[in-house]
Amino acid sequence: SSGINAEYGEFKNGSTTLKRLYAYSDTLINNETALVVINKLSEALQFDPEIFFYILLPPIIFFAGYDLKKKHFFRNIGSILMFAFVGTTISAFAVAAIMWLYCQTGMEKGLKEEFIFFECLLFGALISATDPVTVLAIFAELNVDVDLYALIFGESVMNDAVAIVLFESVLSYAPYKNATFSAVGFLSCVGQFCLTFFGSFFIGTIVGLITSMITKLTRLCDFPVMETSLFTLMSYSSFLLSEAAGFTGIVGILFCAITQAHYTSRNLSADSKKRVFELFETLNFLAENFVFSYIGLFLFTYDGHVWRPGFIVCSFLAIGVARIINVFPLSGLLNIGLRQKIPCKFQLMMWWAGLRGAIAFALAAEYSEGEPRRIILTTTLVIVLATVLVNGSATTTVLELLRIRVGIAEDAETDHIINQLARKEIGDEDLHRLQEQTGLGELGWRFLKTDYSYLVPLFTIEGSSTQDAFPWCG
């Protein structure tokens, strides 16, 4: 008690202790305030997948479809669809099988119990989404062979859409995930995939055709600002309508962009064409840079990382093997029927260009509840950063090692032929010669001729008149 009285007397009679108490309390308050600020900043920096899917991703996907080099894309459409649909599915199941086998070995504690095949298949579906944006930028700068560019670019555009639909289809299998195998669940998954993809395709194409008819039948070209606004709103509405219908907006806005580029852009005024392209080019640039900057920031700000070194190393091995199983066998099958074969050096470059990017990261971030999903998120983050840095930076070296030609100027032969088709100056007797020159199959040329004979006059102001194309309409 004497000690307490002494301290009380010091507190009462002197100001030194009082000042110390005030200083100590101020320090506590400042520290608590700093912690609150840090926590709020950390919460603000957390990635919201809905912002990515509804705000950042649509302009990226739209510009990819709108800036598509259509003549090279459709010349290789068979190969692109094979790699996008069959290849992505093969890749997803191959990654899932390899990762499941690794988890069953029990080399890392807890994985055998936590990772059922359903979780591995989710990981395989999301990590199969390629994003070779760095490689394609180098290709464009060096003017790499247009067919190689079309194969890699076309596959990546379609692959993103297929991977998202495949991921959502696998999620629909969740009620049956604890069963060994469910035929009902599998058929439901396949049906969900087909319904989602083709439903979105239909909505996106219809919105694009409606926009082309509006711009053709009105005088919006006299009001470039209004014309650009209508084009932008209609394009984004394809995404929203697909989502509202229960499909995926990514597929919807992709095919809307391809339709807009092929038909609607022909009806736009010169000012609107320039404004639309520059607008979506700018939005694409900002969105891509924001996403990749955030991915780097996320590595240090996310506090839910679950690091499993063995799982990460095995994932790199799995995506490499899955890419081999995807590219080389399918290329061999395609070369059986192709006039212009896919050479081995192109196949090696396609394997190397299988970078992972924003789509894989966003899918992993959207479904990150539970330790297995957090392991997937951390692993996906490492794969995205590693493939972008390593594969992207070494692209020029790989081109040189494979002796792939660069500096190739696009020939005007195909454009000239298409213009002749539009003017109906090519008859059936010349079709075989043109197929040999361009490598486009007979079915492709028949569709091209039908398009420029009937669809282009119907939906655009170019080509022959609508009355010439459809004389029976009066």
Side-chain angles (χ1 to χ4, degrees):
S1 62
S2 60
I4 294 175
N5 291 332
E7 288 184 5
Y8 177 76
E10 183 180 3
F11 175 78
K12 186 177 180 180
N13 298 323
S15 61
T16 304
T17 303
L18 183 61
K19 291 179 179 178
R20 288 178 181 175
L21 287 173
Y22 276 126
Y24 180 67
S25 62
D26 288 341
T27 303
L28 286 176
I29 293 172
N30 291 335
N31 288 341
E32 290 179 0
T33 304
L35 287 173
V36 170
V37 172
I38 291 172
N39 289 333
K40 287 185 177 181
L41 286 174
S42 180
E43 290 176 2
L45 290 173
Q46 293 302 314
F47 185 77
D48 187 351
E50 289 190 357
I51 293 178
F52 175 81
F53 278 106
Y54 288 97
I55 297 177
L56 298 176
L57 189 56
I60 296 176
I61 298 297
F62 183 88
F63 186 73
Y66 194 73
D67 193 38
L68 197 67
K69 292 179 172 60
K70 296 185 293 297
K71 60 183 180 182
H72 303 301
F73 177 84
F74 288 106
R75 186 165 72 186
N76 296 279
I77 188 64
S79 303
I80 290 170
L81 292 177
M82 177 70 85
F83 287 122
F85 281 90
V86 180
T88 303
T89 305
I90 291 174
S91 177
F93 278 92
V95 170
I98 294 172
M99 298 311 300
W100 183 78
L101 289 174
Y102 171 76
C103 293
Q104 293 304 302
T105 62
M107 295 178 64
E108 286 190 290
K109 185 178 178 181
L111 290 184
K112 186 175 181 179
E113 295 77 20
E114 294 170 351
F115 270 85
I116 58 177
F117 188 75
F118 173 78
E119 300 290 346
C120 294
L121 191 55
L122 277 179
F123 178 60
L126 71 88
I127 208 64
S128 296
T130 60
D131 188 12
V133 59
T134 309
V135 173
L136 292 172
I138 296 173
F139 278 13
E141 185 176 347
L142 297 178
N143 290 325
V144 175
D145 187 286
V146 290
D147 288 316
L148 175 60
Y149 184 95
L151 284 172
I152 295 178
F153 180 75
E155 182 204 3
S156 69
V157 170
M158 296 297 295
N159 162 275
D160 286 346
V162 172
I164 291 174
V165 176
L166 183 61
F167 183 83
E168 293 179 352
S169 300
V170 173
L171 282 176
S172 70
Y173 190 81
Y176 312 95
K177 66 181 181 180
N178 293 321
T180 304
F181 177 76
S182 171
V184 175
F186 177 77
L187 292 176
S188 173
C189 186
V190 173
Q192 180 69 24
F193 177 89
C194 295
L195 178 64
T196 301
F197 188 90
F198 290 107
S200 303
F201 165 80
F202 178 78
I203 290 176
T205 304
I206 291 298
V207 171
L209 293 177
I210 290 173
T211 311
S212 68
M213 291 300 293
I214 293 174
T215 53
K216 176 184 178 179
L217 300 176
T218 63
R219 298 295 301 173
L220 280 175
C221 58
D222 295 334
F223 308 94
V225 175
M226 187 179 298
E227 189 178 35
T228 304
S229 301
L230 174 72
F231 184 96
T232 305
L233 293 174
M234 289 294 288
S235 299
Y236 189 64
S237 70
S238 66
F239 177 89
L240 297 178
L241 286 172
S242 298
E243 290 287 337
F247 304 131
T248 175
I250 301 306
V251 179
I253 200 169
L254 171 63
F255 284 99
C256 179
I258 295 174
T259 306
Q260 301 275 47
H262 188 56
Y263 296 113
T264 310
S265 63
R266 300 168 187 267
N267 302 331
L268 300 179
S269 63
D271 286 345
S272 294
K273 285 181 182 179
K274 182 179 179 182
R275 287 178 179 179
V276 163
F277 186 85
E278 291 179 347
L279 170 64
F280 282 101
E281 184 181 33
T282 303
L283 291 175
N284 170 72
F285 177 81
L286 292 174
E288 281 191 339
N289 279 274
F290 175 83
V291 170
F292 280 102
S293 298
Y294 186 83
I295 288 174
L297 182 65
F298 188 84
L299 180 66
F300 302 100
T301 60
Y302 182 60
D303 56 0
H305 286 301
V306 180
W307 297 94
R308 295 296 179 92
F311 189 90
I312 294 173
V313 172
C314 187
S315 297
F316 278 102
L317 176 64
I319 62 174
V321 172
R323 189 72 178 161
I324 291 173
I325 298 173
N326 170 0
V327 173
F328 296 101
L330 292 183
S331 297
L333 288 174
L334 289 167
N335 283 340
I336 296 174
L338 289 176
R339 287 186 174 87
Q340 291 185 350
K341 312 297 183 185
I342 304 175
C344 184
K345 58 185 179 181
F346 280 16
Q347 298 175 37
L348 289 169
M349 192 67 231
M350 290 176 66
W351 176 81
W352 180 260
L355 286 71
R356 270 54 178 182
I359 299 293
F361 170 70
L363 289 174
E366 185 175 15
Y367 300 93
S368 57
E369 304 87 2
E371 185 163 328
R373 304 286 177 88
R374 291 201 298 272
I375 293 174
I376 289 175
L377 176 57
T378 302
T379 303
T380 302
L381 182 64
V382 173
I383 291 173
V384 169
L385 293 175
T387 55
V388 169
L389 293 175
V390 176
N391 294 50
S393 60
T395 297
T396 305
T397 304
V398 174
L399 286 172
E400 293 174 355
L401 291 174
L402 296 176
R403 297 181 179 180
I404 294 175
R405 293 186 306 158
V406 298
I408 301 174
E410 291 188 44
D411 58 356
E413 180 67 19
T414 307
D415 288 332
H416 176 65
I417 293 170
I418 289 176
N419 290 332
Q420 287 180 300
L421 274 173
R423 295 191 299 267
K424 298 186 177 181
E425 295 177 0
I426 291 181
D428 292 339
E429 65 278 1
D430 298 320
L431 202 56
H432 181 71
R433 176 180 59 84
L434 296 175
Q435 291 169 14
E436 294 294 334
Q437 288 180 1
T438 60
L440 193 64
E442 182 175 353
L443 183 61
W445 270 108
R446 294 293 177 185
F447 172 77
L448 192 61
K449 190 169 185 188
T450 301
D451 181 41
Y452 276 86
S453 298
Y454 300 103
L455 298 180
V456 169
L458 177 62
F459 292 106
T460 74
I461 58 176
E462 293 185 4
S464 57
S465 65
T466 305
Q467 187 172 359
D468 293 336
F470 303 93
W472 58 84
C473 294

